[in-house]
């Protein structure tokens, strides 16, 4: 079945009647205050026809509570102003002619009755497009219930998940920074994918995609930031929720999470925890041709692996509101992850060029590992008496501890099938690792003139210690000094930034910023007695311009310069073996890559978003590049610098309001990539156009029932030297509210037609490498959620921790 056609049957072939354009030169302006007579930002303002209250147009007030409707046709109107938790306010009817109409200021009052007697529900769309970021509201998606964080990211616009090579891309570019609650993970790509694969989506509130961060953020990350915000209840009183879920995809998975919140007086506390169990599989077929000295050897490999994982996490926090101006907060979180491949087997046929069999070998593989984490944050926030002045201070400590192990038992067989006992090979390795992060951060904000000035200092110190111990069995287990390696890495980054945001006119706004970062890093391979000491300083400017063309149209233009430093363990020159002829190697000579990024955004009616972006990457770090040692018939992958990459992308996001009970959200991203480099003593040039799309159909059935049909599709694209065939999936879900709307049951099917599989190949010089991979992408899931306690909606403090935007890398794989 064609994925694209199936998806369009649910969304694309629907024609919704468009509103008629307004004519005339009338203008309607006004302002909104809260119950304390302060400007009320971002409230909803609707312009209605006075005779029948039909909606003419709507908008959100600006950050000063002001609003303006342009190009209003002559006639009689009224306005409706609303906000969740406040009483609606209607204006008196008024006439519009050619002269501007300035409405009396409106003051909204709290809707005390609604807060005390009813539960206020404000459901957000699955995907929201904001001025500087795309927001994926995970908790509002039926098909995301019972999923993992990685599976949700597969549906996010512009995000590509490479399951085969365990990488993330944003708008076709590598180098994505992944944060959890504003804190980077400091994990390798492989460890990060493992963590996301084991994190239940029921723990997640939303995911933010920030493609062009300002100077306030760390300069690392050439393609932007993915920030995963975990759930935290925002209510007064005592309340909480419980989530239970199960899934089946040849094997089973189960998850359970719980949250408890309490807020009273000057203290707000919360604690949450969860457990996740998963059993799955991963099958790979690899076919490679190796030429050497006029002869060709062919390897035909089939690998089957069963994987198992357990994941436990806990988070707790306390905020103390010392005064109306000063708040002190503490956050503590941690997790424990235990994973293994209790069964893994590779069967390989070695063939001659005429496909006659030379011999075969079978490798039984056991891989496993454990990882634990503890993170702590102390935060102080003080607002001065002068309006607009604010000081925040963060102190963080993060620790990751882990241990990986691998056992390989390889048995060889002659062409006639008889065992070749003399060629038996048994190896094993252990790699304990520790990462420690200490960080301090100070931010200050002040109003200067009609704009806002921000400045801050940040210092981080990271240590990483990895010890690869390799042993070979020859009558007994013996230490292998050629393959073993201990690698230590330290990095100190000191940064300062300054931002100023102001306005040239009522419609034109700007933000200018610059960030300076001094980096001192030392990579020390103790075993090989090799040390890389790097000491450098860089400046990273950023410019943002915004023009409010009229009530419906906004244009934003931005530029920033960014850096990606090599992953900690990618610098480690160790070799990690999958079988005697296939391994991975680190590269201690990796250099940082630098990116110039430009972005043009057009927003129509706060809903239809179009983004055109261009970036130029110098010294691009490419992961998973295949190379060969042809004389030994060995193939390995490594990371290396390519000279340049040019990336152009176009992203379109828009809703389609089909009916009152049927809403569609669609996203499309087109990408053009141009790689050019002198690689392996030969000119490499790749030009490639790719695209991906996502569409979600939300159905409100009634009587507590709702449903969702969604899907995504990625066209053919490149991952380094790999050309991957198209991938995609279609999902469906059904939801029912029960127990007076305090409980919810969700049933969904993920990847109905099991089309999310990887097929790719790399052909360059003597490299001819094909790979196919599959995993349990098709799943049947059932989840139950129950909310208890006082659910009155009142806001608690929202903040990020001091290690925001800092942590990207714990290394290569």
């Amino acid at each position: 079945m064609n994925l694209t056609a199936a998806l369009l049957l649910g969304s694309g072939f629907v024609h919704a009647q468009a509103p008629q354009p307004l004519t005339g030169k009338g203008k309607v302006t006004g302002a909104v205050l809260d119950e304390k007579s302060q400007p009320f930002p971002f409230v909803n303002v609707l312009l209605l026809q006075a005779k029948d209250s039909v909606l003419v147009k709507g908008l959100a007030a600006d950050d000063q509570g002001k609003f303006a409707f342009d190009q209003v046709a002559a006639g009689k109107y009224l306005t409706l102003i609303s906000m969740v938790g406040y009483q609606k306010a209607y204006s008196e009817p008024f006439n519009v002619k050619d002269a501007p109409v300035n409405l009396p200021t409106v003051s909204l009052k709290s809707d005390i009755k609604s807060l005390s007697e009813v539960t206020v529900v404000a459901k957000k769309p699955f995907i929201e497009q904001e001025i500087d970021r795309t927001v994926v509201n995970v908790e509002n998606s039926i098909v995301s219930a019972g999923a993992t964080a990685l599976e949700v990211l597969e549906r996010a616009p512009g995000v590509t998940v490479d399951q085969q090579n365990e990488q993330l891309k944003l708008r076709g570019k590598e180098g994505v920074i992944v944060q959890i609650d504003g804190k980077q993970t400091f994990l390798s790509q492989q460890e990060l994918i493992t963590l996301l694969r084991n994190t239940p989506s029921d723990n997640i509130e939303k995911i933010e995609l920030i493609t062009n961060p300002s100077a306030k953020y760390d300069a690392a990350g050439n393609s932007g930031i993915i920030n995963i915000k975990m759930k935290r209840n925002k209510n007064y009183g005592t309340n909480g929720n419980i989530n239970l879920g199960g899934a089946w995809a040849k094997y089973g998975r189960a998850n359970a999470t719980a949250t408890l919140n309490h807020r009273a007086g000057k203290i707000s506390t919360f604690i949450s925890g969860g457990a996740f169990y998963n059993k799955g599989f991963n099958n790979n077929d690899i076919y490679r041709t190796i030429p050497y000295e006029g002869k060709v050897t062919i390897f035909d490999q089939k690998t089957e692996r069963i994987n198992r994982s357990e994941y436990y996490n806990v988070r707790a926090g306390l905020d103390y509101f010392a005064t109306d101006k000063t708040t002190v907060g503490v956050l503590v979180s941690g997790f424990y992850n235990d994973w293994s491949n209790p069964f893994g087997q590779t069967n390989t046929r070695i063939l001659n060029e005429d496909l006659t069999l030379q011999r075969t070998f079978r490798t039984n593989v056991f891989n496993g590992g454990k990882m634990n984490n503890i993170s702590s944050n102390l935060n102080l926030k003080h607002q001065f008496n002068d309006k607009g002045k604010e000081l925040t201070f963060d102190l963080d400590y993060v620790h990751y501890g882990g241990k990986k192990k691998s056992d390989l038992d390889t048995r060889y067989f002659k062409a006639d099938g008889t065992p070749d006992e003399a060629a038996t090979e048994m190896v094993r390795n252990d790699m304990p690792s520790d990462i420690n992060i200490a960080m301090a951060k100070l931010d200050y904000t002040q109003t200067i003139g009609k704009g806002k000035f921000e400045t801050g200092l940040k210092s981080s110190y990271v240590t990483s210690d990895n010890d690869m111990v390799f042993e070979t069995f020859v009558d007994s287990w013996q230490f292998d000094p050629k393959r073993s390696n201990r690698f230590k890495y330290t990095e100190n980054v000191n940064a300062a930034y300054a931002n100023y945001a102001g306005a040239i006119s009522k419609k034109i706004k700007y933000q200018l910023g610059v960030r300076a970062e001094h980096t001192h890093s030392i990579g020390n391979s103790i075993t090989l007695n090799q040390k890389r000491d790097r000491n450098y300083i860089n400046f990273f400017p950023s410019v943002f311009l915004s023009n409010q063309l009229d009530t419906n149209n906004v244009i934003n233009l931005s530029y920033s310069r960014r850096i990606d430093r090599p992953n900690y363990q990618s610098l480690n020159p160790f070799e990690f073996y999958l079988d005697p002829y296939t391994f991975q190697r680190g590269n201690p000579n990796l250099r940082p890559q630098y990116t110039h990024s430009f972005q043009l955004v057009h927003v129509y009616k706060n809903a239809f978003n179009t983004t055109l972006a261009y970036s130029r990457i110098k010294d691009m770090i490419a992961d998973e590049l295949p190379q060969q040692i042809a004389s030994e018939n060995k193939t390995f992958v490594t990371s290396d610098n390519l000279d340049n990459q040019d990336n152009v992308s176009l992203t379109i996001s828009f809703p389609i309001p089909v009916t009152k009970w049927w809403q569609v959200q669609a996203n499309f991203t087109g990408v053009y990539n141009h790689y050019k480099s002198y690689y392996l003593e030969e000119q490499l040039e790749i030009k490639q156009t790719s695209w991906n799309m996502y569409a979600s159909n939300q159905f409100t059935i009634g009587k507590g029932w709702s449903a969702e049909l969604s899907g995504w599709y990625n066209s053919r694209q490149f991952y380094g030297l790999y050309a991957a065939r198209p991938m995609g999936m279609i999902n469906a879900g059904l939801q029912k509210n029960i127990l007076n709307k305090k409980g919810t049951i969700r049933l969904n099917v993920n990847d109905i037609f099991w089309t999310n599989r990887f097929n790719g190949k790399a052909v360059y010089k003597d490299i001819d490498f094909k790979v196919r991979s599959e995993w349990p992408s098709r799943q049947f899931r059932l989840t139950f959620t129950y909310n208890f306690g006082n659910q009155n909606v009142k806001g608690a403090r929202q903040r990020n921790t001091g290690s925001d935007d800092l942590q990207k890398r714990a290394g290569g794989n």
Side-chain angles (χ1 to χ4, degrees):
M1 178 177 180
N2 187 287
L3 269 173
T4 307
L7 207 55
L8 290 175
L9 285 174
S11 61
F13 292 152
V14 177
H15 178 71
Q17 183 177 355
Q20 297 298 315
L22 298 174
T23 60
K25 300 180 179 178
K27 184 176 183 179
V28 179
T29 60
V32 187
L33 303 178
D34 61 19
E35 51 195 350
K36 296 181 181 180
S37 298
Q38 298 294 320
F40 203 147
F42 312 124
V43 295
N44 302 308
V45 185
L46 304 180
L47 181 66
L48 311 176
Q49 292 183 5
K51 62 180 180 179
D52 53 15
S53 295
V54 171
L55 175 64
V56 178
K57 62 165 61 177
L59 52 75
D62 64 16
D63 55 0
Q64 297 299 315
K66 297 179 180 181
F67 63 88
F69 293 100
D70 294 319
Q71 302 294 317
V72 180
K76 193 171 186 178
Y77 303 91
L78 57 85
T79 59
L80 166 61
I81 300 174
S82 65
M83 176 60 73
V84 175
Y86 289 81
Q87 298 176 12
K88 295 180 179 179
Y90 290 88
S91 71
E92 294 293 331
F94 54 88
N95 289 304
V96 173
K97 297 182 180 179
D98 289 339
V101 177
N102 187 22
L103 300 176
T105 299
V106 177
S107 296
L108 291 186
K109 297 181 180 179
S110 297
D111 192 353
I112 300 176
K113 180 179 179 181
S114 69
L115 289 177
S116 60
E117 296 182 3
V118 302
T119 300
V120 180
V121 179
K123 184 176 180 180
K124 297 180 180 180
F126 179 57
I127 295 178
E128 283 187 297
Q129 191 65 54
E130 299 182 359
I131 296 298
D132 62 340
R133 66 195 63 193
T134 300
V135 180
V136 181
N137 293 301
V138 178
E139 60 184 347
N140 291 324
S141 172
I142 299 171
V143 299
S144 293
T148 67
L150 192 66
E151 290 164 345
V152 174
L153 279 174
E154 287 182 316
R155 305 185 184 111
V159 177
T160 302
V161 179
D162 178 5
Q163 295 266 11
Q164 168 63 27
N165 298 308
E166 299 190 319
Q167 292 182 354
L168 291 175
K169 283 187 176 182
L170 185 58
R171 295 186 316 187
K173 296 189 295 182
E174 300 174 2
V176 183
I177 291 180
V178 176
Q179 300 177 348
I180 297 178
D181 284 334
K183 301 196 312 180
Q184 290 171 232
T185 54
F186 264 123
L187 299 176
S188 70
Q189 281 285 308
Q190 187 183 53
E191 292 166 335
L192 176 62
I193 293 294
T194 300
L195 176 62
L196 296 176
R197 189 179 284 133
N198 294 325
T199 301
S201 65
D202 296 325
N203 289 357
I204 301 172
E205 176 187 353
K206 60 184 178 181
I207 297 174
E208 297 176 328
L209 311 176
I210 308 171
T211 54
N212 207 7
S214 69
K216 184 175 182 178
Y217 293 85
D218 279 3
N222 90 88
S223 64
I225 296 171
I226 297 176
N227 184 28
I228 301 173
K229 304 192 78 170
M230 310 304 285
K231 287 182 180 178
R232 180 180 177 185
N233 202 296
K234 308 169 186 177
N235 306 331
Y236 276 120
T238 301
N239 54 67
N241 63 73
I242 297 173
N243 276 280
L244 301 174
W248 181 86
K250 188 176 181 180
Y251 303 104
R253 71 161 61 165
N255 65 280
T257 61
T259 302
L260 184 65
N261 310 273
H262 179 75
R263 186 176 182 190
K266 294 186 175 183
I267 295 179
S268 174
T269 61
F270 81 95
I271 185 170
S272 65
F276 180 82
Y277 171 81
N278 180 51
K279 185 177 180 181
F281 65 89
N282 184 270
N283 298 329
N284 293 282
D285 296 339
I286 299 176
Y287 191 90
R288 57 191 173 189
T289 302
I290 304 175
Y292 182 69
E293 293 184 345
K295 297 182 180 181
V296 174
T297 304
I298 298 172
F299 280 70
D300 184 8
Q301 295 180 290
K302 296 185 181 299
T303 301
E304 297 181 5
R305 286 179 292 179
I306 296 175
N307 50 67
R308 178 202 60 82
S309 62
E310 297 177 26
Y311 173 81
Y312 307 92
N313 75 293
V314 64
R315 301 173 67 244
L318 182 148
D319 285 334
Y320 174 65
F321 303 90
T323 68
D324 292 339
K325 303 290 185 180
T326 304
T327 306
V328 180
V330 176
L331 289 176
V332 179
S333 65
F335 68 79
Y336 173 80
N337 188 19
D338 186 341
W339 61 273
S340 66
N341 299 120
F343 170 80
Q345 188 175 95
T346 298
N347 287 283
T348 303
R349 296 189 305 151
I350 304 178
L351 309 171
N352 296 313
E353 187 174 8
D354 60 1
L355 300 183
T356 59
L357 184 65
Q358 289 186 18
R359 63 174 178 166
T360 65
F361 69 85
R362 182 180 65 242
T363 301
N364 291 319
V365 181
F366 170 82
N367 291 315
K370 298 179 180 180
M371 180 185 297
N372 59 79
N373 160 260
I374 183 72
S375 301
S376 57
N377 166 261
L378 174 66
N379 171 270
L380 171 67
K381 178 180 178 181
H382 178 72
Q383 295 174 313
F384 295 88
N385 292 326
D386 295 343
K387 183 179 178 181
K389 284 187 177 182
E390 182 177 286
L391 182 71
T392 60
F393 174 72
D394 286 272
L395 193 63
D396 283 69
Y397 173 75
V398 182
H399 170 76
Y400 290 95
K403 185 175 183 179
K404 299 177 185 178
K405 65 179 303 181
S406 178
D407 293 277
L408 289 80
D409 184 345
T410 303
R411 305 298 170 104
Y412 291 86
F413 302 87
K414 299 176 182 178
D416 60 4
T418 59
D420 186 357
E421 300 291 349
T424 298
E425 183 176 356
M426 297 174 62
V427 297
R428 68 184 184 185
N429 65 70
D430 289 287
M431 190 176 75
S433 62
D434 284 286
I435 302 173
N436 292 283
I437 306 159
M439 193 275 312
K441 180 171 178 279
L442 183 70
D443 294 287
Y444 175 75
T445 302
Q446 177 180 336
T447 300
I448 297 180
K450 295 183 179 181
K452 183 173 72 171
F453 174 72
E454 297 177 296
T455 187
L457 302 171
K458 187 174 184 179
S459 180
S460 65
Y461 186 76
V462 181
T463 63
S464 173
D465 188 351
N466 300 274
D467 190 9
M468 169 71 82
V469 178
F470 219 105
E471 295 178 309
T472 303
F473 189 83
V474 182
D475 296 328
S476 63
W477 288 107
Q478 299 179 12
F479 178 72
D480 189 341
K482 294 182 179 179
R483 299 181 182 180
S484 300
N485 181 41
R486 186 172 186 182
F487 183 76
K488 288 188 173 183
Y489 183 86
T490 61
E491 180 181 271
N492 176 222
V493 178
N494 297 301
Y497 76 91
N499 264 338
Y500 184 78
I504 299 174
S505 65
K506 290 183 178 181
K507 294 186 176 182
I508 301 178
K509 300 178 181 179
Y510 65 89
Q511 177 177 292
L512 304 175
V514 64
R515 184 179 188 90
E517 291 189 354
H518 170 255
T519 304
H520 184 202
S521 64
I522 300 175
N524 185 10
S525 176
I526 297 175
T527 306
L528 301 178
N529 194 26
Q530 295 177 353
K531 183 180 289 189
R532 293 292 187 277
D533 191 329
R534 291 189 170 101
N535 197 333
Y536 52 94
I537 187 169
N538 285 286
F539 293 89
F540 303 96
S542 62
V543 179
F544 294 81
L545 293 173
S546 178
N547 188 356
Q548 181 86 42
L549 301 178
D550 53 36
T551 304
N552 295 323
N553 294 277
V554 178
I555 288 182
N556 298 301
L557 178 65
S558 62
Y559 161 77
S560 66
R561 181 175 185 255
R562 307 191 65 76
I563 184 176
D564 276 287
R565 302 172 182 90
N567 290 333
Y568 302 148
Q569 294 182 37
S570 291
L571 298 167
N572 189 346
F574 77 91
E575 295 180 353
F576 182 82
Y577 282 76
L578 299 178
D579 63 53
Y581 297 92
T582 314
F583 61 95
Q584 182 179 21
R585 174 184 290 174
N587 182 1
N589 298 313
L590 280 176
R591 304 181 303 275
Q593 68 178 20
Y594 295 89
T595 303
H596 294 277
S597 182
F598 300 85
Q599 187 167 282
L600 177 65
V601 180
H602 174 248
V603 182
Y604 177 69
K605 287 190 174 181
N606 288 322
F608 195 108
N609 182 287
T610 304
T611 302
L612 179 64
Y614 167 76
S615 65
R616 179 68 183 271
I617 305 172
K618 181 181 178 182
D619 287 335
M620 172 197 167
I621 298 175
D623 295 320
E624 303 291 342
L625 290 175
Q627 295 186 20
Q628 290 188 157
I629 306 175
S631 61
E632 301 177 16
N633 287 330
K634 292 183 177 181
T635 301
F636 67 93
V637 294
T638 188
S639 299
D640 210 339
N641 291 99
L642 302 182
D643 292 343
N644 294 303
Q645 179 193 5
D646 292 287
N647 176 280
V648 180
S649 66
L650 175 67
T651 301
I652 302 174
S653 174
F654 56 93
I656 305 174
V658 184
T659 66
K660 290 183 179 179
W661 53 270
W662 184 1
Q663 299 288 324
V664 178
Q665 178 70 41
N667 298 273
F668 171 87
T669 300
V671 177
Y672 171 77
N673 272 314
H674 181 201
Y675 303 88
K676 190 172 183 179
S677 180
Y678 193 74
Y679 182 64
L680 296 182
E681 301 180 349
E682 190 170 298
Q683 185 67 42
L684 167 67
E685 186 168 12
I686 298 174
K687 298 180 180 180
Q688 185 241 353
T689 301
S690 60
W691 59 275
N692 67 69
M693 64 170 291
Y694 171 85
S696 172
N697 299 267
Q698 303 281 343
F699 305 96
T700 303
I701 302 173
K703 295 185 178 181
W705 288 92
S706 57
E708 179 177 327
L709 175 66
S710 67
W712 59 266
Y713 178 86
N714 291 335
S715 73
R716 180 181 182 271
Q717 54 189 290
F718 272 88
Y719 299 88
L721 293 181
Y722 292 98
R725 294 175 61 184
M727 301 169 61
M729 67 166 65
I730 293 178
N731 319 292
L734 188 65
Q735 174 178 297
K736 178 68 168 70
N737 294 326
I738 60 175
L739 303 176
N740 295 323
K741 296 185 178 181
K742 291 186 177 181
T744 303
I745 294 178
R746 298 183 179 97
L747 174 66
N748 56 67
V749 184
N750 193 65
D751 195 7
I752 298 173
F753 305 104
W754 201 11
T755 50
N756 186 23
R757 306 181 186 189
F758 181 88
N759 283 277
K761 65 179 181 179
V763 180
Y764 180 70
K765 294 192 67 176
D766 64 343
I767 299 171
D768 191 339
F769 190 92
K770 299 177 182 178
V771 60
R772 180 182 180 274
S773 181
E774 62 182 22
W775 54 91
S777 181
R778 180 167 58 187
Q779 300 170 9
F780 300 86
R781 298 195 291 254
L782 179 66
T783 62
F784 169 72
T785 303
Y786 180 71
N787 299 308
F788 60 88
N790 181 0
Q791 298 297 316
N792 292 343
V793 180
K794 291 188 178 181
R797 184 167 76 118
Q798 294 296 306
R799 65 181 175 89
N800 291 325
T801 69
S803 51
D804 294 357
D805 329 312
L806 167 70
Q807 313 158 40
K808 177 185 178 185
R809 312 110 51 214
N813 304 330

